[in-house]
Amino acid sequence: MIIAAGVGAVIVSSASASLTSDPQALAKLGMPLGGGNVASVIAVTGPHSQRVPVVLRGNQIWPRGTLRAGERVTIDVVVKRPGWISWLAGSRERLHLTLVTPTAGSGRRT
C-alpha cells in the first residue's frame, strides 16, 4: 500500500510540464512524463501586450523575428495531457513565464 502511494505520488508530480528561460532560444518547454501535446504558445510584449510571433522547434520556443535587448516578454503555453493521466492531473496545463531579453552586458563571461 505504501509503495502504491509512492508510485502514485511520482506519477502525479511528473505529470507536470515546465517552462523555463533558455540560453539559446526564448524559452524551453519540458513535457510531462507520458507525453502530451502543445495546444498553444502565445508570446506578448510591451504595455499593450503586442503579440510576438513564435515557433516551437523541438522543445524550444523561438521568436520568428528579432526582439530588442532588454525587452520584457510574457509567454503562455497550454499543454494537453494524454487521456490516461488527464483524469488525475487535469486534461490541460497552463504555463506562464515572464522574462527580459538579454542585453549586451548580460552575457556570460568565460
Side-chain angles (χ1 to χ4, degrees):
M1 183 143 194
I2 293 174
I3 294 173
V7 169
V10 168
I11 289 172
V12 170
S13 67
S14 61
S16 295
S18 64
L19 182 62
T20 58
S21 60
D22 186 274
Q24 288 94 26
L26 198 55
K28 181 178 182 178
L29 181 62
M31 295 302 283
L33 179 69
N37 295 316
V38 177
S40 67
V41 178
I42 297 173
V44 296
T45 187
H48 302 293
S49 297
Q50 180 179 342
R51 296 276 299 255
V52 175
V54 293
V55 62
L56 185 62
R57 293 184 197 147
N59 64 345
Q60 293 178 313
I61 300 169
W62 291 86
R64 289 187 188 230
T66 57
L67 296 171
R68 293 187 316 249
E71 192 168 2
R72 183 182 202 103
V73 179
T74 300
I75 303 169
D76 289 298
V77 176
V78 176
V79 175
K80 188 173 186 288
R81 292 188 181 101
W84 67 270
I85 192 69
S86 66
W87 67 271
L88 183 61
S91 63
R92 295 180 184 263
E93 181 176 7
R94 298 180 190 286
L95 305 170
H96 180 82
L97 176 68
T98 300
L99 55 91
V100 177
T101 58
T103 59
S106 68
R108 287 187 250 165
R109 296 182 186 193
T110 55

